[in-house]
Amino acid sequence: MLEVRVVGLGLDAASKSPIVHLQQVDGEASLSILVGAMEALSISLVLNGEQVPRPLTHDLLLAALKSLRANVSGVEICDRRDGIYYAALNIRMADKAIRLDCRPSDAVALALRAGVPILVRASLFADAAGSGAAAARASQADQPQRPDAAADMARQATARREADSLAGMLQRGSRLPHADPDLERRYRDILRVLEPVTSRKM
């Protein structure tokens, strides 16, 4: 098994589904895995250090394990069959070790929250290269190293509030101070943030 880290999130060029990009910690091997939209958001929230007011499913599972005096000791992406990746969740409870089948997306989201290693079977890297995953990685070569889906959502929410405020000023007949160059730049920034999310932003 080789340890990997999450280096980015993107969209598959063909299916437009989210992809999580994994890179070997002490090497050059890499792997890209299709994940669900909610799982991609869950992963992005952790990587961007975003806080949510209520626990998401992965937060809840870790809290439940903690209350049972158990903890996640690691996750493994261990197999690929018919184009589908399989993973295992390793749980330690007192002197007992438990191994559960899980989806790679859930495994990654839990590992990031628990701060435990993500391991990938070495043979899967070669399989991915031969299956066309390398082409998917190449199509995402311009992805930022830190996924910004959650941060982008926060920026859009802030920009929408500012845009609503500006709209209210116009409806009340107030004049916008167009003569101020700093404000004009700010208005342009708001419009850029409110543009539709691109594949680069996930």
Side-chain angles (χ1 to χ4, degrees):
M1 289 283 188
L2 301 177
E3 185 175 356
V4 299
R5 60 189 177 90
V6 179
V7 296
L9 286 167
L11 286 179
D12 177 66
S15 67
K16 304 303 180 185
S17 298
I19 297 175
V20 60
H21 300 289
L22 305 173
Q23 175 76 45
Q24 184 183 353
V25 171
D26 297 317
E28 298 298 321
S30 60
L31 186 68
S32 296
I33 299 177
L34 290 172
V35 298
M38 294 307 297
E39 290 75 22
L41 178 58
S42 181
I43 291 168
S44 181
L45 286 170
V46 179
L47 292 173
N48 284 292
E50 297 288 338
Q51 300 296 319
V52 291
R54 301 288 292 154
L56 300 179
T57 304
H58 299 113
D59 303 310
L60 176 61
L61 177 55
L62 289 180
L65 288 172
K66 184 177 179 180
S67 71
L68 296 170
R69 297 181 181 176
N71 64 282
V72 176
S73 58
V75 301
E76 301 173 10
I77 299 174
C78 51
D79 200 4
R80 183 175 185 272
R81 300 191 300 272
D82 299 322
I84 299 173
Y85 286 96
Y86 292 80
L89 181 66
N90 295 319
I91 298 172
R92 175 67 64 180
M93 186 173 184
D95 59 348
K96 185 177 182 181
I98 302 170
R99 182 179 172 90
L100 298 176
D101 177 41
C102 70
R103 299 180 302 175
S105 54
D106 291 324
V108 170
L110 287 167
L112 290 174
R113 283 169 167 76
V116 298
I118 303 169
L119 303 177
V120 176
R121 189 176 301 280
S123 61
L124 295 181
F125 293 108
D127 291 345
S131 69
R137 288 196 299 274
S139 71
Q140 301 295 331
D142 65 336
Q143 290 295 319
Q145 287 300 300
R146 283 181 61 82
D148 66 341
D152 187 59
M153 288 172 61
R155 286 194 298 270
Q156 287 194 14
T158 299
R160 284 193 181 95
R161 284 194 297 271
E162 294 189 43
D164 289 343
S165 175
L166 294 174
M169 291 174 65
L170 288 173
Q171 289 175 355
R172 292 190 300 270
S174 301
R175 294 185 58 191
L176 297 179
H178 294 295
D180 188 328
D182 290 335
L183 285 175
E184 287 185 2
R185 280 193 294 272
R186 179 59 187 151
Y187 300 152
R188 285 196 296 271
D189 290 342
I190 291 172
L191 292 175
R192 277 196 294 272
V193 172
L194 290 173
E195 288 175 354
V197 177
T198 65
S199 59
R200 179 177 174 82
K201 294 181 180 178
M202 210 214 79

